Amino acid sequence: MTNSNNMKNIFLTIIIASSITNSINAQTQTPIITIDDKLEVYADEFWREYRQHSNAEPDDINPLIARYADYRLQIYDAQQRHLDTAQSIADARDYFQNYLVTKHIADGKKSQKIISQLTRDCGTQYRVSHIQVNIDGNLPSDTAAAYFKAAKIRTRLSSGADFALVARQLSDDPSANYNGGDLGYISVLEMPGHAFAQYVKANYGRSEISQPVRGKKAYHIIKVSDKRAAVDSITVSCIEIRKTKKWRADDSLRNLANQICEKLKNGENFASLQKKYSYQQGSQKLTLFEAIDRYGSQINDLKSEGSVFAKPADTYESFLIVRLNKLHPRSADRNMEPTVRARFVVSDKFREISGEFLDSIKTVAGYQPTNEYGALVNAIDETIFDGQWIPQDGLTLIDDQLFTFQGRKYTLGDFAKYVYENQKPCTVTSNAVYLDNKLKEMTDQLAFEAAKKMLLNRYPHYKVLLNEYTYPQLYTLADKYNTGEQLADNYADVEEYYKKHSSNYLSGYLLYLRIMEPAQGASPKKVMKAAAELANFPAKSPDLSLIRPVAADTFQLGQNPIADIVIRGFNSGEYSYPADKVINLADQNRIVITKVLEEPHPIELSQIYPLVSAEYRNTLKTKYVSELRKKYNLKIANNAESILKESY
């Protein structure tokens, strides 16, 4: 029997839970806003847009619903008038569609696997030096020339040449001129290319110098000397010996800096020496970039807390002796994935994955090359490499089929036109290589456009995101044409509005107040009599046995709490002048002697033009929204508040 009751209770619980869930689902599927019985707006749309501005649950939802309803009403009106076909909206929509494709590729399994690995790799920083040899061009001979140059440099290093000196002399990385190729402690995110990072990770701990490692546009010779747990920032102290003349220093200053270094090696206290000799005092917490920028790449030589520069750093203005006080490791709870993702989508590896994705789109789209473009190879000349080629007459009219894409035939003339319209200066020197690159560029562009349409059709959520991205642009466009913004910027119209509403733009009272405090135990009648005498004879000194001065000055609203009580009394008509020269604020234990220096009067428009102009524009906006509510049938659900609360 007990088991039977238990089963009934379980089934009853399931039924009740199911009913509650269905009730909530039914509510969240109920529109909170309806316009013309055509457009339905649901809670998830409201919350998605709300969370773009705030993460906190709102205290009062009803005013937000009303504002959001007016916002969607203006967008609906703009769409009815076909403002969504404006070029600015089309550009915004195209921009966000491009983002959606990028996001789709970055969300793929292959990309996510790399992002996860990169996020883990960010926990380590490597001390890396490199020598860069650029590849000048896209021909195989250009690549070979760069490789042989890099191999020759490596041979020189293997023979014992100083890495930093060779880097300054031969590296194509401009930073080598001042850092000798030393990139400092960097994570894989800061490394120039995927192959570079893979080499560093695989070869840490080996003292040898790498063979030339191929990057996208250069070869790199790499030396990895150290690694450590990733550091976000460091705390350092500095003994700074200022030079008497910039770039120059007499031997006494140089000798002093060297002597201080010797004292530190012999165990003398850094803080004491800093206090005695240094222009700069105390310590600083800096990011690695800030520290290297301020103190030079030698900062990377300070490996352990308490270590000091082996010798003074000679800078433009000073000799610097720096001590590493503390390394601040990257916090365990710091979320690196957004940073990693942002860097990943501009990396060579992402371009490789994007290329694979576009190739798959081409396959789906039935991309099929059907002809060679030899006629075009012969028709272009060397001006194409400067971006100044002009096609021969009739070249863009050639009807020979070059390829098909999504059932459409693209001719050699179409390709010639594309080449002409998209040419720009480049380092390529071969017609055939140039056209190979351009054909891939053209078909990749077609594939990218096809991908945008595919994603919007296949994933409805993307269409929602796209709409919500273009709403603000559409709202701004509609607002520009309908709220009289140009009229509001016309001085004559603002002036007319100001004249009609001048009573709203009055200056406040300016009062001279003597704030007094009754003496303890003094008779109230005598106190008021003494205050009245002071009001009628301002030069008379107060009887301190009855009344003591607290403050005497000119006041406007907002400058003193006692003065604010008096000024608000004048504004409300509770007090008037000269009837109320003396005001007894018994609950504040204060007596106030008043004198009106300036009564409220209209403020000149020139002094408050921005305020009046903004209020005039708001008036036009309110009028416009009111007219829209009459033009369209706007309905806000009676239970909109409860739907939103339950779906928060």
Side-chain angles (χ1 to χ4, degrees):
M1 190 69 178
T2 303
N3 289 337
S4 175
N5 287 335
N6 286 341
M7 289 300 293
K8 287 180 180 178
N9 289 336
I10 291 171
F11 281 123
L12 185 60
T13 302
I14 292 172
I15 292 169
I16 292 172
S18 177
S19 299
I20 293 172
T21 303
N22 290 336
S23 174
I24 292 173
N25 288 337
Q27 279 211 312
T28 56
Q29 293 304 313
T30 302
I32 58 171
I33 298 167
T34 307
I35 301 175
D36 272 356
D37 294 325
K38 296 178 182 177
L39 174 68
E40 295 180 339
V41 181
Y42 295 89
D44 57 346
E45 296 177 71
F46 175 92
W47 286 124
R48 267 198 303 273
E49 298 211 50
Y50 175 80
R51 289 188 181 107
Q52 292 177 11
H53 307 284
S54 175
N55 291 322
E57 184 175 1
D59 296 327
D60 191 355
I61 293 179
N62 281 322
L64 294 177
I65 298 173
R67 287 204 296 272
Y68 186 66
D70 287 340
Y71 169 72
R72 293 300 297 267
L73 187 63
Q74 290 173 77
I75 293 168
Y76 180 79
D77 176 62
Q79 290 170 332
Q80 299 309 300
R81 293 184 295 113
H82 306 295
L83 293 181
D84 50 352
T85 61
Q87 188 59 47
S88 60
I89 301 298
D91 291 343
R93 187 178 290 116
D94 189 60
Y95 174 85
F96 196 67
Q97 281 181 285
N98 294 344
Y99 161 78
L100 292 177
V101 175
T102 301
K103 181 180 182 298
H104 180 78
I105 299 171
D107 287 343
K109 290 183 179 179
K110 195 169 185 178
S111 294
Q112 282 299 305
K113 185 177 180 180
I114 294 173
I115 290 172
S116 298
Q117 183 60 53
L118 286 173
T119 303
R120 291 192 294 271
D121 290 344
C122 283
T124 303
Q125 291 171 330
Y126 298 85
R127 180 75 181 275
V128 180
S129 296
H130 83 135
I131 295 172
Q132 178 174 310
V133 179
N134 290 343
I135 301 171
D136 298 323
N138 293 324
L139 293 175
S141 58
D142 298 325
T143 303
Y147 176 83
F148 287 125
K149 180 180 177 181
K152 191 173 180 180
I153 292 172
R154 185 185 183 279
T155 300
R156 181 174 170 183
L157 293 171
S158 299
S159 300
D162 181 70
F163 194 100
L165 179 62
V166 174
R168 288 190 178 93
Q169 292 173 343
L170 300 175
S171 180
D172 290 325
D173 180 355
S175 69
N177 291 326
Y178 61 85
N179 65 19
D182 183 2
L183 300 177
Y185 284 95
I186 57 176
S187 72
V188 294
L189 288 186
E190 287 78 47
M191 294 178 191
H194 182 71
F196 190 109
Q198 290 299 102
Y199 174 84
V200 171
K201 286 169 57 181
N203 290 277
Y204 163 73
R206 299 169 62 182
S207 58
E208 66 182 37
I209 295 166
S210 77
Q211 295 289 344
V213 174
R214 173 70 191 270
K216 184 178 181 183
K217 296 182 178 179
Y219 282 99
H220 302 270
I221 301 167
I222 306 169
K223 181 174 73 172
V224 190
S225 56
D226 193 19
K227 79 170 181 178
R228 69 183 182 195
V231 169
D232 276 335
S233 57
I234 60 175
T235 299
V236 295
S237 296
C238 177
I239 298 173
E240 180 180 3
I241 312 298
R242 281 285 177 99
K243 297 177 180 178
T244 52
K245 293 182 179 179
K246 294 173 182 178
W247 287 116
R248 296 174 56 192
D250 56 42
D251 288 341
S252 63
L253 291 178
R254 191 185 305 276
N255 291 337
L256 174 61
N258 288 327
Q259 289 169 13
I260 293 172
C261 275
E262 288 300 317
K263 289 181 179 183
L264 290 169
K265 290 177 185 177
N266 293 329
E268 291 198 33
N269 183 267
F270 189 98
S272 299
L273 292 172
Q274 185 192 55
K275 186 175 181 180
K276 183 176 181 180
Y277 295 110
S278 180
Y279 175 83
Q280 182 182 145
Q281 297 291 319
S283 63
Q284 298 171 302
K285 186 177 180 181
L286 305 168
T287 66
L288 289 177
F289 178 82
E290 290 171 335
I292 292 172
D293 184 57
R294 191 167 300 182
Y295 300 121
S297 59
Q298 283 174 288
I299 203 79
N300 287 307
D301 294 326
L302 305 180
K303 297 182 181 180
S304 58
E305 296 176 358
S307 58
V308 181
F309 277 178
K311 60 181 180 179
D314 186 351
T315 70
Y316 177 64
E317 292 184 331
S318 313
F319 292 106
L320 303 175
I321 304 164
V322 180
R323 180 183 68 178
L324 174 64
N325 297 336
K326 188 173 180 60
L327 292 166
H328 299 279
R330 182 167 293 136
S331 302
D333 61 350
R334 179 175 173 186
N335 183 6
M336 287 296 297
E337 186 164 337
T339 303
V340 173
R341 176 183 286 263
R343 295 292 297 271
F344 171 67
V345 296
V346 296
S347 69
D348 293 342
K349 195 63 180 175
F350 183 77
R351 279 190 284 271
E352 179 186 316
I353 295 172
S354 298
E356 294 173 0
F357 172 75
L358 294 178
D359 287 342
S360 69
I361 296 295
K362 291 177 189 178
T363 301
V364 172
Y367 170 61
Q368 186 64 48
T370 58
N371 202 352
E372 296 291 334
Y373 39 81
L376 190 56
V377 172
N378 298 326
I380 62 175
D381 54 44
E382 66 276 1
T383 59
I384 194 75
F385 308 124
D386 298 322
Q388 298 177 351
W389 174 63
I390 299 176
Q392 302 168 8
D393 291 342
L395 184 59
T396 58
L397 301 177
I398 298 176
D399 198 36
D400 293 347
Q401 184 170 323
L402 184 61
F403 65 86
T404 56
F405 192 93
Q406 289 188 320
R408 178 185 164 183
K409 182 181 80 171
Y410 289 84
T411 67
L412 190 58
D414 293 329
F415 183 45
K417 182 180 179 183
Y418 178 85
V419 170
Y420 169 62
E421 292 176 347
N422 294 275
Q423 60 182 314
K424 54 187 176 182
C426 65
T427 57
V428 178
T429 57
S430 164
N431 290 6
V433 171
Y434 183 91
L435 291 178
D436 283 342
N437 292 338
K438 279 298 175 187
L439 182 61
K440 184 178 188 313
E441 182 184 291
M442 180 181 181
T443 54
D444 280 353
Q445 186 173 312
L446 291 171
F448 199 86
E449 293 301 317
K452 291 194 285 190
K453 294 178 182 177
M454 179 199 75
L455 293 179
L456 291 174
N457 291 331
R458 186 175 295 179
Y459 303 101
H461 181 62
Y462 279 178
K463 189 172 289 186
V464 173
L465 292 176
L466 177 61
N467 286 336
E468 290 182 357
Y469 173 78
T470 54
Y471 283 165
Q473 284 83 10
L474 190 57
Y475 174 82
T476 302
L477 185 63
D479 193 54
K480 177 179 178 181
Y481 286 107
N482 290 289
T483 63
E485 185 173 308
Q486 294 176 344
L487 289 175
D489 288 335
N490 184 300
Y491 189 89
D493 293 319
V494 176
E495 185 177 34
E496 184 66 27
Y497 176 81
Y498 167 77
K499 288 177 181 177
K500 291 180 180 178
H501 302 84
S502 58
S503 60
N504 296 336
Y505 303 108
L506 299 178
S507 67
Y509 275 97
L510 179 65
L511 304 180
Y512 178 75
L513 303 180
R514 297 172 70 184
I515 303 173
M516 318 292 285
E517 178 185 21
Q520 189 172 5
S523 165
K525 288 186 178 180
K526 290 183 178 181
V527 167
M528 290 300 291
K529 183 178 179 181
E533 288 178 357
L534 288 174
N536 293 320
F537 304 101
K540 185 176 181 178
S541 298
D543 183 349
L544 298 180
S545 66
L546 294 172
I547 195 166
R548 299 188 181 95
V550 175
D553 206 343
T554 57
F555 294 101
Q556 290 179 309
L557 192 65
Q559 295 180 340
N560 179 285
I562 298 297
D564 285 354
I565 295 173
V566 175
I567 292 170
R568 288 193 180 101
F570 274 95
N571 287 334
S572 66
E574 181 182 355
Y575 307 134
S576 63
Y577 188 81
D580 295 301
K581 280 187 177 180
V582 179
I583 299 172
N584 183 8
L585 300 178
D587 56 338
Q588 302 290 327
N589 195 32
R590 293 292 185 268
I591 306 293
V592 183
I593 301 170
T594 68
K595 182 178 181 180
V596 175
L597 300 180
E598 191 176 281
E599 292 188 347
H601 61 276
I603 305 171
E604 291 185 13
L605 177 59
S606 59
Q607 298 178 21
I608 54 171
Y609 182 84
L611 171 65
V612 179
S613 176
E615 292 187 356
Y616 175 48
R617 185 179 291 115
N618 287 338
T619 300
L620 295 172
K621 178 68 170 289
T622 302
K623 181 180 177 182
Y624 163 57
V625 173
S626 177
E627 290 172 351
L628 287 183
R629 284 186 171 237
K630 294 176 183 177
K631 182 178 180 181
Y632 301 109
N633 182 18
L634 172 68
K635 296 178 183 176
I636 299 176
N638 293 331
N639 60 341
E641 182 180 11
S642 62
I643 292 174
L644 289 171
K645 283 183 176 179
E646 290 177 0
S647 61
Y648 178 75

